[in-house]
């Protein structure tokens, strides 16, 4: 469904992506792992057409993402941003229904609110939070709201950028499980980027390891522990010694 073919992207002398090849079949959950600053977010933004590659192609159902009509293209995606990224001046339900209140997905306000409350319930939040503001909720609850917003328009494809960053291990586990359940129940195609190995094991069908601008290894999550790839091995065990040089 999503295909990256020999994608390059530099920012000045910072050569971030140096020939990324990646395929995500429809209905599968792909998790891209890699250290901080390796280009995971740049990869995700490239698929969304928010970053334009210097060379190489990215296609969605065979269509070049840089040539797609923006509104219709973005309507197919749901996105959980790193850090939640809720609008602090909007209520919780207005955050969740954000895309249902404007643009091509626009619906009447009462209907949008009903959908928001239903999605809040799906992520384990009571209807009472609907009229509160993000600052009134805990970090874990804000992440749930972000997740409810990502699924509000029932997208075919959902992107999760570091879904557990900033959460304690128990809340991370809850969010990981919720993501997995929702992706399965919606039959959505999912791409998650993370450096959290517990997320990988909870969410992934397939894993791809990004390092030094290329995908070093990709395969089913069941093969990750025994793949023998030195980069993957070092990363999953968090070892200081290995081919990945730690910046000290
Ligand atoms: N818009 C931008 N302009 C300049 N440099 C950028 C931009 N976006 C990302 N970078 C750089 O690209 C590299 C990869 O960033 P990113 O994809 O955010 O890493 P991560 O793997 O942690 O998500 C970093 O060195 C970052 O500073
Ligand atoms: Mg990132």
């Amino acid at each position: 469904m999503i295909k990256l073919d020999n994608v390059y992207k530099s920012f000045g002398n910072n050569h971030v992506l140096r020939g990324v090849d990646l395929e995500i079949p429809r209905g599968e959950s792909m998790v891209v792992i890699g250290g901080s600053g390796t280009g995971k977010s740049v990869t995700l933004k490239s698929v969304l057409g928010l970053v334009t590659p210097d060379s190489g192609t990215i296609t969605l159902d065979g269509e070049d993402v840089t040539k797609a009509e923006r509104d219709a293209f973005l309507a197919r995606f749901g996105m959980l941003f790193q850090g939640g990224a809720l609008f602090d001046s909007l209520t919780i339900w207005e955050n969740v229904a954000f895309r249902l209140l404007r643009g091509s997905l626009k619906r009447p306000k009462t209907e949008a609110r009903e959908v928001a409350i239903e999605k809040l319930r799906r992520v384990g939040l009571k209807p009472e939070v609907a009229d509160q503001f993000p600052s009134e909720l805990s970090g874990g609850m804000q992440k749930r709201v972000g997740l409810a917003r990502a699924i509000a328009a029932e997208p075919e494809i959902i992107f999760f950028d570091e879904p557990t960053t900033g959460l304690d291990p128990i809340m991370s586990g809850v969010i990981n499980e919720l993501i997995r359940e929702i992706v399965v129940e919606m039959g959505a195609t999912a791409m998650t980027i993370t450096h959290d190995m517990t997320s990988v094991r909870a969410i992934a069908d397939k894993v791809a390891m990004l390092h030094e601008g290329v995908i070093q290894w990709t395969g089913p999550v069941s093969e990750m522990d025994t793949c023998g790839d030195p980069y993957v091995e070092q990363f999953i065990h968090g070892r200081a010694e290995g081919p990945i040089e730690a910046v000290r």
Side-chain angles (χ1 to χ4, degrees):
M1 185 180 204
I2 301 170
K3 191 167 189 286
L4 289 85
D5 195 4
N6 208 21
V7 172
Y8 281 75
K9 181 67 187 179
S10 299
F11 297 100
N13 288 329
N14 186 5
H15 306 296
V16 181
L17 306 182
R18 299 180 233 167
V20 170
D21 292 316
L22 188 66
E23 274 184 56
I24 311 178
R26 182 177 301 277
E28 283 200 2
S29 172
M30 169 67 80
V31 177
V32 178
I33 59 172
S36 288
T38 50
K40 301 184 301 297
S41 294
V42 169
T43 302
L44 190 147
K45 285 175 189 164
S46 302
V47 177
L48 287 172
L50 301 174
V51 163
T52 310
D54 299 329
S55 64
T57 52
I58 305 176
T59 55
L60 173 66
D61 286 332
E63 188 190 7
D64 190 324
V65 300
T66 60
K67 299 189 176 103
E69 196 273 307
R70 298 310 300 158
D71 239 29
F73 175 77
L74 289 174
R76 302 177 67 179
F77 290 87
M79 170 91 209
L80 177 61
F81 295 95
Q82 195 164 355
L86 301 177
F87 299 105
D88 56 12
S89 60
L90 298 181
T91 63
I92 297 302
W93 85 263
E94 288 166 336
N95 265 282
V96 173
F98 190 79
R99 298 175 75 182
L100 306 177
L101 292 169
R102 47 185 66 69
S104 60
L105 300 169
K106 190 168 173 162
R107 300 194 205 177
K109 208 169 164 183
T110 47
E111 196 184 312
R113 186 184 158 92
E114 273 166 35
V115 173
I117 287 172
E118 176 204 323
K119 300 302 174 191
L120 285 167
R121 187 172 285 124
R122 180 62 196 88
V123 300
L125 294 173
K126 296 201 172 79
E128 291 85 275
V129 304
D131 296 308
Q132 292 188 289
F133 285 91
S135 59
E136 298 175 72
L137 304 187
S138 68
M141 286 167 91
Q142 290 183 15
K143 201 65 109 171
R144 287 176 198 253
V145 175
L147 184 53
R149 181 173 65 187
I151 62 171
E154 295 181 4
E156 293 167 70
I157 309 150
I158 318 181
F159 283 177
F160 302 98
D161 190 349
E162 305 278 358
T164 58
T165 296
L167 300 180
D168 67 57
I170 294 170
M171 188 50 68
S172 295
V174 171
I175 295 294
N176 285 335
E177 234 164 80
L178 202 46
I179 287 175
R180 181 72 205 176
E181 274 172 30
I182 287 174
V183 166
V184 169
E185 127 197 339
M186 291 175 65
T189 305
M191 178 172 169
T192 304
I193 60 181
T194 188
H195 55 254
D196 177 356
M197 291 312 298
T198 58
S199 286
V200 178
R201 294 180 199 284
I203 298 172
D205 292 318
K206 288 209 181 109
V207 182
M209 163 111 202
L210 181 64
H211 184 68
E212 287 179 342
V214 295
I215 300 297
Q216 298 283 349
W217 179 82
T218 184
V221 65
S222 58
E223 290 173 15
M224 178 178 71
D225 291 294
T226 52
C227 71
D229 181 90
Y231 293 92
V232 175
E233 290 259 296
Q234 185 184 354
F235 196 81
I236 61 183
H237 296 110
R239 291 195 192 107
E241 302 305 317
I244 303 172
E245 270 182 58
V247 181
R248 285 164 225 268

